[in-house]
């Protein structure tokens, strides 16, 4: 096989998920994430964890948030991980891990954030604790109850899949954002 046909095949393989996403995948993924976000928000364990985090983090300064984020990042791969463990060992995180396991490969990860953008519950360890400076947070909670953010499609080498993150606000009883959820999705599953 010459180099040119190989490049064309490689490009076609790369573009297949992009075309699928453009042909209705966006709506299906958004609907899927919004439906599940509502279900998770209605779970008493998740709603209590979110309310508790919002109370605990309400008065943190940016310097304190930066310190927590730095501590989280320093713990990745370390023997002792008290900051990470406080999130990953919670009942809310267990529910999110179960949701990933029950999703038949459609969901790759779930991150639940409070109104400050700090992790409340996660299905797997994230690279940082504070998501508040990232589009997954900035384009959801501050943008209002109907906001949706979709990341670019990325190829995950470790899982060998194309994935996208879809983020939506988590709404409280009054219909206002009380946090956000980011769901990593396998593009080929949609």
């Amino acid at each position: 096989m010459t180099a040119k046909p190989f490049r064309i095949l490689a490009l076609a393989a790369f573009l297949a998920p992009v075309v699928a996403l453009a042909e209705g995948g966006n709506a299906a993924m958004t609907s899927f994430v919004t439906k599940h976000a509502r279900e998770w928000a209605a779970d008493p364990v998740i709603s209590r964890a979110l309310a508790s985090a919002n109370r605990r983090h309400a008065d943190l300064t940016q310097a304190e948030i930066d310190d927590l984020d730095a501590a989280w990042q320093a713990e990745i791969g370390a023997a002792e991980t008290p900051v990470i463990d406080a999130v990953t060992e919670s009942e809310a995180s267990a529910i999110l891990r179960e949701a990933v396991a029950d999703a038949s490969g459609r969901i790759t990860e779930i991150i639940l954030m409070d109104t400050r953008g700090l992790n409340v519950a996660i299905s797997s360890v994230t690279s940082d604790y504070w998501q508040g400076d990232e589009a997954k947070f900035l384009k959801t909670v501050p943008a209002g109850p109907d906001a949706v953010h979709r990341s670019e499609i990325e190829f995950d080498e470790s899982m060998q899949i194309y994935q996208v993150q879809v983020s939506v606000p988590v709404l409280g009883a009054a219909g206002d954002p009380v946090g956000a959820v980011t769901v990593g999705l396998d593009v080929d599953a949609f």
Side-chain angles (χ1 to χ4, degrees):
M1 179 180 283
T2 65
K4 187 173 182 179
F6 178 75
R7 282 193 301 259
I8 291 170
L9 288 174
L11 181 60
F14 175 76
L15 290 177
V18 175
V19 171
L21 189 60
E23 292 177 350
N26 273 337
M29 286 188 270
T30 299
S31 176
F32 180 82
V33 170
T34 302
K35 174 186 176 280
H36 286 291
R38 283 189 203 116
E39 291 171 1
W40 297 324
D43 185 297
V45 172
I46 298 284
S47 62
R48 278 194 305 271
L50 196 50
S52 175
N54 281 331
R55 282 190 303 276
R56 277 192 330 274
H57 300 150
D59 296 326
L60 290 178
T61 66
Q62 187 58 52
E64 291 168 325
I65 289 172
D66 292 343
D67 288 346
L68 285 168
D69 195 42
W72 179 285
Q73 291 175 37
E75 288 180 7
I76 295 173
E80 295 195 20
T81 57
V83 176
I84 293 173
D85 290 348
V87 175
T88 60
E89 294 178 2
S90 72
E91 193 176 356
S93 287
I95 289 169
L96 298 185
R97 283 190 297 276
E98 186 176 315
V100 171
D102 291 345
S104 303
R106 293 179 98 181
I107 299 175
T108 59
E109 69 177 331
I110 306 169
I111 305 166
L112 179 69
M113 300 158 269
D114 65 14
T115 56
R116 300 298 300 277
L118 292 163
N119 291 346
V120 174
I122 53 178
S123 62
S124 57
V125 176
T126 58
S127 60
D128 54 0
Y129 182 46
W130 184 51
Q131 314 301 320
D133 60 343
E134 298 176 29
K136 67 182 77 166
F137 177 81
L138 294 171
K139 295 190 183 264
T140 56
V141 172
D146 298 324
V148 175
H149 175 262
R150 281 174 220 82
S151 71
E152 297 294 322
I153 296 173
E154 295 180 0
F155 185 71
D156 186 302
E157 289 284 341
S158 64
M159 292 190 279
Q160 293 293 298
I161 62 167
Y162 288 94
Q163 66 177 356
V164 65
Q165 290 183 333
V166 178
S167 304
V168 297
V170 175
L171 305 180
D176 57 323
V178 294
V181 64
T182 294
V183 182
L185 301 171
D186 179 347
V187 172
D188 291 331
F190 290 84

